[in-house]
Amino acid sequence: MTISQESLIREYETKVKDNGGCPGYFTAQEQRKVAKLWSMLLEYYTNNQEKTINVNGELLQKIDHDWSELDPHEGLSDEEPEEVTRRAWKFTKGEGGIRRFNIRSKKEPPSREKQALDRHVNETVQQYVDRVTGHHVELIPKTFFPSFKSPNIETRNLYDTFWSMVSIKQHPDILLHRYLRVTGWDVEKAFALTKSIVEWRASEAIDQVNFEGEIGIGYDELRLGMARLVGRDRLGNPLLYVRVKRIMPRANEAFVMKRYLVSKFEAMQMVTRKHMRITMIYDFTGFCMDNTPFSMVYFMVLLGIKYYAEASGVMILLVDSWLFSNFWGLIRPFLDVNLSARIIFVKTADEVRRFVDDDQLPVELGGKNTFATDFVQPKEDENMLMFDLDGRRNAEDVWRKSIGELEGATQAWCKHIESAGPDVITNPTNHYTVERATAGAKLCEAELELSKYTRSCNIYRRLGLVDSEGCLLLPQDKN
């Protein structure tokens, strides 16, 4: 089943979302394919409960530059962050750019200005907080471990990784449905895709990325406000506004930007627990080719078409530059049919209004919406539960028990689907369907409770934008 751009645009024109092919709206044939995929996955992960994979951890790399000679408040404080980053960026074009900064070179030490610029673009939130307070602030526990059952930080258990991924959604079929859609409802391909995503999450230690959260991200990426949540589109999807000109990955190490992007996707996944996608406006105003080197673009595409497949509703590209046509020619071959349909080009902010009402459109684009999730520094006590190991152990026990209940309910449901008629399969009051939905909701609640001990607080929680069910609640929603 492919998506047509015309049908997507029609949804926005009528403000009526097409729920066809979504959990709760499956046809009998689609339901059978979902059941077959679940049967294959349950068999694989149940038979391999102890299977682990070594952690590669590219995203866990740390900047090891030495800034000890600098005073804590030395330089740059009277400039706008974007201007400082652009000045730092210029050093990447010359010999011994800011990425390397010749810090390891024995020939010539970097100037204090270069060191200050380097610190500005490369220090993490934790390093920044420690620097400005003058002492180490323990924002999260020093020691990370994946779980009490599998505490080895060098490996990850694939069974646990699969269930931690699935259980963040309020219905157990939401993510698997997306993988089926992106593979054209080919069950074998969806099975292979799911396995590869789980292995990627395990090898890149996404659980530790979430544990450290914004605290382990580069502070510069956050204060620049490259990607800000600003409101909702005409279908009620969360609206992320991306200012491309502020993306300056060549001012720091590549893994820094990759970690920022993954953390942003993870945070949005956590607050869109229902069957909800994210709409993104990419504003290319002031864009130049150096903003997005090809390697970074390829990684962004890979996140969109594979690791977070179908997470986006539509991606609106506001483009007023002839440079982008050449740039787009490099990206397009990597896109699948469904993702291509979700990418919509506009030349003016007025065209964006087809998808976003004026009261939700950012003022930067001529709208009336002044709300934006500008970064707020973490507070010392906001992650207190992460230090409570007894509480975490109890929450993990409940989570594992809930997994067992959903496994049993899903196995019974899959067996029932094999022999039931179409009317029974699609009946939402069917006993097996109700039992499974109840078990799925219980698992989601257990994961939400466990996440209080395993995921550090993010900007959305810090601003009070998350309700008791873990879902996004914007100020506009309360009106």
Side-chain angles (χ1 to χ4, degrees):
M1 177 182 174
T2 57
I3 301 166
S4 94
Q5 190 169 102
E6 291 74 18
S7 64
L8 284 173
I9 293 174
R10 189 161 52 250
E11 288 181 38
Y12 281 91
E13 289 174 344
T14 60
K15 288 191 175 183
V16 177
K17 186 181 295 187
D18 180 9
N19 290 313
C22 298
Y25 300 90
F26 289 139
T27 65
Q29 182 182 12
E30 291 167 343
Q31 199 80 295
R32 291 187 193 281
K33 291 191 174 185
V34 173
K36 184 179 179 181
L37 178 57
W38 265 111
S39 294
M40 294 170 68
L41 289 168
L42 287 177
E43 181 181 5
Y44 176 78
Y45 286 112
T46 300
N47 292 337
N48 294 279
Q49 284 197 38
E50 304 305 319
K51 186 174 182 179
T52 61
I53 189 171
N54 291 332
V55 170
N56 169 34
E58 178 191 5
L59 303 179
L60 299 181
Q61 295 179 75
K62 305 293 184 184
I63 297 291
D64 61 352
H65 297 176
D66 182 7
W67 305 308
S68 59
E69 294 183 6
L70 297 174
D71 295 330
H73 301 281
E74 182 169 343
L76 315 177
S77 59
D78 59 340
E79 297 181 72
E80 289 294 323
E82 183 178 357
E83 294 307 312
V84 178
T85 303
R86 287 195 179 280
R87 187 147 58 85
W89 190 21
K90 292 178 182 178
F91 283 110
T92 66
K93 299 180 179 180
E95 185 178 350
I98 196 167
R99 268 187 163 186
R100 300 291 175 259
F101 249 155
N102 286 331
I103 281 181
R104 298 181 183 84
S105 173
K106 297 179 180 179
K107 295 180 180 179
E108 181 183 354
S111 67
R112 295 183 73 88
E113 180 191 13
K114 281 190 177 183
Q115 287 190 60
L117 288 169
D118 184 43
R119 182 174 68 182
H120 175 89
V121 298
N122 282 315
E123 67 181 345
T124 64
V125 171
Q126 179 71 68
Q127 290 171 321
Y128 175 81
V129 171
D130 289 351
R131 175 165 66 87
V132 297
T133 57
H135 66 276
H136 175 65
V137 180
E138 198 164 7
L139 298 170
I140 57 173
K142 293 180 181 178
T143 304
F144 166 82
F145 61 96
S147 68
F148 285 99
K149 184 178 180 181
S150 304
N152 186 355
I153 63 171
E154 302 297 329
T155 62
R156 289 296 184 274
N157 180 281
L158 293 180
Y159 176 88
D160 284 2
T161 303
F162 168 75
W163 281 109
S164 66
M165 178 182 76
V166 171
S167 60
I168 66 169
K169 297 298 183 182
Q170 289 187 347
H171 194 287
D173 291 343
I174 289 178
L175 287 183
L176 300 192
H177 153 251
R178 292 178 178 178
Y179 303 154
L180 280 165
R181 279 174 68 104
V182 82
T183 55
W185 288 87
D186 185 314
V187 177
E188 294 289 342
K189 289 182 179 178
F191 175 68
L193 176 62
T194 305
K195 283 178 56 182
S196 68
I197 292 171
V198 170
E199 289 173 5
W200 173 77
R201 294 182 68 86
S203 67
E204 287 296 344
I206 301 301
D207 54 355
Q208 188 170 349
V209 171
N210 284 320
F211 182 86
E212 296 178 6
E214 293 170 348
I215 294 163
I217 296 178
Y219 183 56
D220 196 38
E221 282 70 50
L222 295 170
R223 66 183 155 199
L224 282 172
M226 289 180 278
R228 301 186 301 166
L229 183 67
V230 294
R232 295 188 184 275
D233 68 10
R234 299 190 78 194
L235 295 179
N237 295 318
L239 184 63
L240 205 65
Y241 178 43
V242 182
R243 294 177 286 187
V244 178
K245 72 173 183 177
R246 294 198 175 192
I247 300 176
M248 291 174 263
R250 293 184 183 180
N252 46 35
E253 304 284 359
F255 69 82
V256 173
M257 181 59 65
K258 287 183 178 181
R259 179 163 180 159
Y260 169 78
L261 292 170
V262 169
S263 296
K264 182 62 70 174
F265 268 99
E266 285 292 308
M268 292 303 297
Q269 288 292 298
M270 283 296 294
V271 296
T272 54
R273 290 174 171 267
K274 299 177 181 178
H275 187 74
M276 186 177 291
R277 292 184 171 87
I278 307 159
T279 292
M280 293 183 277
I281 301 176
Y282 285 89
D283 184 358
F284 283 84
T285 304
F287 161 81
C288 68
M289 295 300 287
D290 282 333
N291 283 119
T292 44
F294 182 74
S295 60
M296 194 58 59
V297 171
Y298 177 75
F299 181 72
M300 292 170 68
V301 170
L302 200 59
L303 292 179
I305 67 175
K306 184 175 182 180
Y307 301 131
Y308 299 94
E310 293 274 309
S312 301
V314 294
M315 285 173 278
I316 304 166
L317 275 55
L318 177 58
V319 180
D320 65 350
S321 171
W322 62 269
L323 286 171
F324 189 80
S325 58
N326 293 329
F327 184 69
W328 179 245
L330 297 174
I331 304 172
R332 193 166 190 172
F334 296 101
L335 306 180
D336 66 13
V337 176
N338 284 341
L339 185 59
S340 294
R342 296 187 184 280
I343 297 175
I344 298 172
F345 287 89
V346 298
K347 293 183 178 180
T348 67
D350 280 342
E351 294 180 69
V352 180
R353 288 181 170 85
R354 298 177 67 186
F355 308 94
V356 183
D357 288 331
D358 210 45
D359 63 336
Q360 300 289 317
L361 192 67
V363 290
E364 293 95 327
L365 297 179
K368 299 178 180 178
N369 181 16
T370 58
F371 171 78
T373 51
D374 291 321
F375 184 65
V376 176
Q377 289 181 35
K379 300 176 182 177
E380 187 168 0
D381 60 349
E382 67 182 18
N383 295 308
M384 291 301 294
L385 283 178
M386 296 182 73
F387 295 86
D388 180 2
L389 293 182
D390 289 336
R392 176 176 172 177
R393 186 187 296 275
N394 291 335
E396 184 180 318
D397 290 343
V398 172
W399 179 70
R400 293 190 182 280
K401 181 180 178 182
S402 299
I403 290 173
E405 292 175 3
L406 180 58
E407 283 179 321
T410 299
Q411 287 168 346
W413 174 77
C414 290
K415 188 175 181 179
H416 168 71
I417 291 292
E418 291 178 4
S419 57
D423 291 342
V424 176
I425 291 175
T426 56
N427 184 352
T429 62
N430 178 289
H431 168 73
Y432 295 96
T433 301
V434 172
E435 287 291 309
R436 183 165 173 269
T438 301
K442 188 174 179 180
L443 176 59
C444 183
E445 291 175 7
E447 194 284 331
L448 180 61
E449 182 63 23
L450 178 59
S451 71
K452 298 174 183 178
Y453 301 90
T454 59
R455 295 174 184 255
S456 59
C457 184
N458 59 37
I459 184 63
Y460 307 124
R461 288 193 176 278
R462 207 170 293 128
L463 294 176
L465 302 178
V466 182
D467 65 18
S468 59
E469 295 182 336
C471 296
L472 195 64
L473 183 65
L474 298 175
Q476 299 96 313
D477 300 336
K478 301 174 184 178
N479 297 330

